[in-house]
Amino acid sequence: MSNIIIGTAGHIDHGKTSLIKALNGFEGDETKEEKQRGITIDLSFSNLRKAQQNIAFIDVPGHEKLVKNMIAGAFSFDCVMLVIAANEGIMPQTIEHIEIIDLLDIKELIVVITKKDLVNEEKLKEIQTQIENFLEDFNFDIKFICSVSTNDKISIENLKDKLFTIKNTNKEQENFFRYYIDRVFSVKGIGTVVTGTVLGNKCEINEKVFIPRLNKETKIKNIQVHNKNALEANISNRAALNLQNIKTTDLKRGDLISKKGYLRGFNTLDISFKCLKGKKLYHNRTYSLFIGSKKVEVKVLLFDSTTSLETGFATIKAKDEFFSIYKEKVILRQSNDTIAGGVVLNCVNDPMKKTQKRELLDALYQSNFDDAYKILLQAHKKGLGLISSAQRFALSHNEAIEFGQNLTNVFCDEKELIIYPIETKDYIKKKIEEIYTKNKFALLSNAAIKLRIKWASSSFIQIVLDELEKEEFLKREKNLYKNANIEEDFTQSLENLICKRLEEESFSPTAPYNIYDDLDIDRKLGDSILKSLCAKKQVFRLQHNLFIHANNLTLIVKEMKKIITEDGYIDIQNFKNRFELSRKYIIAYLDYLDNFSQIKKIDKKRVFVTQLV
């Protein structure tokens, strides 16, 4: 089905809500307060359907004090229906609404002149000319201009026919589902329900979705699109989602729902901005920022060293986290004045110098991803995750990989979705060479090296290992690499080293993995060596990570028996009084005593069996 969202815009009492009612019978001003005051206070949602075409209407408030609600709806518009009363013409809120629509870069526009029955033909033509002249200052794609009266059914039917000539949404399909909540409520017997507009990819019933602010996953139990149950909701669908195991009190207007793993939150955004005519943004000043249906107080820091600008780059700082994407639109207001519109360029807070950031913003402003990747890689020497490209550049994984493959002087790991500047290979190579130079008996696998260079991918490490083998610095034996200058099998030497170390460490032996790391040997190999030493009874395993040399075990047992002889028993306390050992070792040695038939455990004490006779 073809879907398009048309939002109203215009001054208060110019007939926006009445026009929607005439088109589809929907009474938008439903709340008691709205009916008493005669104005639309919040957003109203309805639709008009013809065959396989569906038009969703978002009727927004026209009152100047309610522009914030208008903005919340405007983010999801595909097209704007500018409503102007024939008897009043262009008014202050008409202008502000159009300025906001222009800042949000919504290009498709319909102009509907209402209340045509209140003026004569000459006045109607005058109003239309006034509107056309006003709109010449903006770069809108005006679909049509028509005049109606809600008392004239023919004019309303004519408008309906024209509306259905508008083509399907031209919004770009994104790589993942995004949805800003504009309402949240509870339905008896159903649970938590949210409403909003699908902005990215579609969502489906029983699909798991993620609420980043809560760091919580939930499931869509049911979907309604324009008050009808549906299996899915597609881009530009107004949809109500019934969410599982989420309390209404946990959610709020402006919360984003998406898919897990796509969005990271940051309390800064880098934007390009453009102010309305005659207005400026001031450095280090507080503004209200609108993004999606979210409103948040922010501090604006102009990127260039100046007190104010009409256009440029700025960093937005807030207490709340943003879960934004590249090229998302924002509006900045102060009190009841709209000041500027902006485009999110950098939504990930990268550690980089100001000069680098400036270069990055210039590249992103021009959608030059080649340069953007190169600049980011200078700040991410240890690798840049391609999975972040969905948020950073609105690219799919395949598109991101293709960019990575085509970049020069980089290594692109398609499996782990990471790209590295090629000079990083030299750093990895140096680290490996240091290991084998320091310890001639080093014997490591790719996986063991990755434990030491955690940020490097296995594929990148393997390239370096292959080079070192080709250069005859290393020699491969099965999956292990050893110093190429040593020909003999030094497994026995490693066994002797480990055995000697455990003997030297007396009653507080180091955990095996620490020994392996110190000796630069693979963990599997180290486990095999300890297993061999245990089989020869040179070493005994008391616990999972506690191995003690046989001589030391004999000595500690002798000392424990001596304590029993002197005190009549041994427990944790009197053992600790004699030996400055951690509780881990004391408990392990006491448990080992239970293997001796002449010793019996009573409560928490060990005694000689002869003492019980």
Side-chain angles (χ1 to χ4, degrees):
M1 176 173 284
S2 168
N3 294 293
I4 189 168
I5 293 178
I6 296 178
T8 65
H11 197 75
I12 184 173
D13 289 336
H14 275 211
K16 297 186 296 297
T17 302
S18 298
L19 179 61
I20 297 297
K21 184 179 179 182
L23 287 168
N24 62 13
F26 178 75
E27 181 68 73
D29 297 336
E30 291 184 320
T31 70
K32 182 179 179 181
E33 187 181 359
E34 285 173 326
K35 289 181 178 179
Q36 287 175 344
R37 292 172 61 182
I39 64 171
T40 301
I41 293 174
D42 208 335
L43 306 174
S44 294
F45 309 102
S46 61
N47 73 303
L48 186 64
R49 184 173 292 183
K50 179 181 179 181
Q52 291 301 305
Q53 287 180 279
N54 184 75
I55 297 173
F57 293 107
I58 300 181
D59 185 20
V60 305
H63 196 284
E64 62 178 336
K65 292 182 180 178
L66 299 168
V67 171
K68 63 182 186 297
N69 289 1
M70 178 267 173
I71 295 171
F75 278 93
S76 56
F77 293 174
D78 295 312
C79 181
V80 176
M81 183 160 64
L82 179 63
V83 178
I84 301 173
N87 61 328
E88 290 190 342
I90 295 169
M91 297 291 281
Q93 287 315 121
T94 313
I95 297 170
E96 184 168 16
H97 280 196
I98 282 299
E99 287 176 335
I100 290 169
I101 294 304
D102 185 49
L103 290 175
L104 290 173
D105 201 33
I106 301 169
K107 295 301 181 186
E108 297 191 5
L109 188 70
I110 301 159
V111 180
V112 179
I113 303 171
T114 57
K115 305 182 183 184
K116 73 170 188 174
D117 53 326
L118 299 183
V119 299
N120 57 34
E121 283 295 322
E122 185 178 344
K123 178 66 174 176
L124 199 59
K125 287 181 181 178
E126 182 184 323
I127 289 294
Q128 182 165 333
T129 301
Q130 179 195 29
I131 293 168
E132 288 171 345
N133 291 338
F134 166 67
L135 292 176
E136 280 182 0
D137 292 337
F138 302 91
N139 187 29
F140 289 119
D141 177 9
I142 301 173
K143 298 300 181 183
F144 59 81
I145 299 175
C146 72
S147 305
V148 302
S149 167
T150 54
N151 299 318
D152 179 3
K153 290 186 178 179
I154 293 176
S155 68
I156 296 298
E157 289 302 317
N158 178 53
L159 175 57
K160 281 185 186 180
D161 291 340
K162 286 180 178 293
L163 289 172
F164 281 115
T165 64
I166 299 172
K167 293 181 181 179
N168 196 11
T169 174
N170 59 0
K171 283 180 184 170
E172 291 185 19
Q173 194 87 6
E174 295 171 11
N175 308 312
F176 57 97
F177 167 69
R178 287 194 314 124
Y179 175 106
Y180 279 104
I181 295 173
D182 50 46
R183 284 181 177 174
V184 54
F185 51 91
S186 181
V187 179
K188 189 175 181 180
I190 293 177
T192 298
V193 176
V194 297
T195 64
T197 302
V198 178
L199 297 178
N201 213 331
K202 68 179 181 178
C203 64
E204 298 177 337
I205 197 167
N206 293 323
E207 184 177 19
K208 287 184 178 180
V209 291
F210 190 70
I211 304 168
R213 183 180 67 82
L214 302 178
N215 193 28
K216 188 170 183 180
E217 200 166 39
T218 181
K219 188 165 82 170
I220 301 174
K221 293 196 292 182
N222 191 33
I223 298 174
Q224 282 197 348
V225 177
H226 305 301
N227 298 318
K228 291 187 177 182
N229 289 333
L231 295 176
E232 63 183 30
N234 290 288
I235 188 169
S236 284
N237 274 159
R238 283 291 310 168
L241 309 180
N242 180 202
L243 302 179
Q244 187 179 68
N245 298 326
I246 293 286
K247 296 178 182 177
T248 56
T249 52
D250 291 337
L251 298 171
K252 58 185 179 182
R253 183 176 189 157
D255 277 344
L256 185 76
I257 304 179
S258 185
K259 297 293 290 181
K260 191 171 185 178
Y262 281 96
L263 297 174
R264 287 188 291 161
F266 299 92
N267 62 1
T268 65
L269 293 174
D270 295 312
I271 67 168
S272 65
F273 68 88
K274 178 185 177 182
C275 293
L276 293 177
K277 190 175 181 180
K279 296 183 179 179
K280 293 182 178 182
L281 275 184
Y282 288 84
H283 179 67
N284 204 28
R285 190 171 288 188
T286 299
Y287 294 88
S288 295
L289 180 132
F290 295 80
I291 181 168
S293 57
K294 182 183 181 73
K295 176 191 174 186
V296 61
E297 297 304 303
V298 301
K299 182 82 56 93
V300 172
L301 304 174
L302 298 179
F303 206 84
D304 295 300
S305 299
T306 184
T307 55
S308 64
L309 283 175
E310 295 176 1
T311 184
F313 296 143
T315 297
I316 304 296
K317 287 192 173 184
K319 292 181 180 178
D320 294 349
E321 283 189 324
F322 299 104
F323 299 90
S324 183
I325 64 168
Y326 177 63
K327 286 293 180 79
E328 192 165 16
K329 306 296 191 300
V330 302
I331 295 288
L332 288 162
R333 303 189 84 225
Q334 196 166 47
S335 298
N336 288 326
D337 290 332
T338 301
I339 306 298
V343 177
V344 175
L345 297 179
N346 183 39
C347 49
V348 179
N349 189 6
D350 295 292
M352 57 170 58
K353 297 175 182 177
K354 190 172 181 178
T355 52
Q356 283 181 310
K357 178 68 73 68
R358 180 64 195 236
E359 291 175 0
L360 176 64
L361 296 182
D362 283 334
L364 291 172
Y365 184 76
Q366 299 169 43
S367 298
N368 185 341
F369 298 143
D370 282 6
D371 283 352
Y373 269 121
K374 290 173 184 175
I375 295 161
L376 284 168
L377 282 171
Q378 292 306 306
H380 293 269
K381 300 280 189 182
K382 295 181 178 180
L384 178 67
L386 286 175
I387 196 166
S388 69
S389 296
Q391 182 175 10
R392 284 183 182 277
F393 311 126
L395 296 176
S396 68
H397 291 336
N398 289 337
E399 289 171 329
I401 290 170
E402 186 177 347
F403 263 98
Q405 289 171 331
N406 292 330
L407 288 173
T408 56
N409 298 318
V410 304
F411 171 73
C412 179
D413 190 327
E414 297 177 27
K415 184 178 179 182
E416 296 189 34
L417 293 174
I418 305 174
I419 53 175
Y420 303 86
I422 201 65
E423 60 262 31
T424 301
K425 184 176 72 170
D426 295 332
Y427 177 84
I428 296 172
K429 191 173 184 179
K430 183 178 178 183
K431 293 295 284 185
I432 295 173
E433 286 174 339
E434 284 176 357
I435 291 170
Y436 284 89
T437 301
K438 181 190 78 173
N439 183 359
K440 66 177 183 178
F441 293 135
L443 197 61
L444 296 169
S445 63
N446 183 314
I449 293 170
K450 184 168 174 55
L451 289 171
R452 289 159 173 75
I453 315 173
K454 291 181 171 60
W455 50 265
S457 73
S458 297
S459 299
F460 205 9
I461 290 171
Q462 191 57 54
I463 285 176
V464 176
L465 289 172
D466 290 344
E467 277 192 16
L468 288 171
E469 186 180 9
K470 189 175 181 181
E471 293 169 6
E472 297 185 349
F473 179 81
L474 294 179
K475 184 175 182 180
R476 181 171 180 169
E477 292 185 355
K478 295 183 179 179
N479 69 326
L480 299 177
Y481 291 84
K482 70 175 187 177
N483 194 315
N485 295 321
I486 301 176
E487 293 296 332
E488 73 270 16
D489 179 4
F490 50 79
T491 305
Q492 184 58 51
S493 299
L494 289 172
E495 192 172 297
N496 293 338
L497 281 172
I498 291 175
C499 190
K500 183 181 179 183
R501 174 160 173 166
L502 288 173
E503 186 173 20
E504 291 173 349
E505 289 180 339
S506 186
F507 306 143
S508 302
T510 307
Y513 287 173
N514 292 331
I515 296 174
Y516 306 160
D517 289 346
D518 291 344
L519 296 178
D520 296 310
I521 61 173
D522 187 73
R523 291 187 174 186
K524 286 185 178 180
L525 175 64
D527 288 344
S528 176
I529 289 172
L530 277 178
K531 189 176 180 180
S532 172
L533 289 170
C534 288
K536 297 173 183 177
K537 297 193 182 300
Q538 291 177 268
V539 170
F540 286 83
R541 183 180 188 177
L542 302 188
Q543 286 182 352
H544 174 63
N545 277 330
L546 178 53
F547 291 80
I548 184 169
H549 192 277
N551 294 343
N552 296 332
L553 183 60
T554 300
L555 286 173
I556 197 67
V557 169
K558 183 179 178 181
E559 292 296 330
M560 288 191 290
K561 287 180 178 180
K562 183 179 178 182
I563 293 171
I564 298 175
T565 301
E566 292 175 355
D567 294 2
Y569 68 92
I570 188 171
D571 63 5
I572 293 174
Q573 192 55 53
N574 67 354
F575 193 174
K576 196 173 183 64
N577 290 339
R578 265 54 163 220
F579 293 89
E580 292 184 3
L581 295 171
S582 71
R583 189 179 180 86
K584 176 184 78 170
Y585 293 112
I586 288 174
I587 290 173
Y589 295 144
L590 288 174
D591 287 344
Y592 183 74
L593 275 184
D594 297 336
N595 294 315
F596 294 86
S597 58
Q598 71 268 37
I599 294 173
K600 186 172 180 64
K601 182 180 179 183
I602 300 176
D603 294 328
K604 295 181 180 180
K605 298 179 178 179
R606 271 83 174 176
V607 299
F608 288 129
V609 173
T610 54
Q611 294 176 260
L612 302 175
V613 179

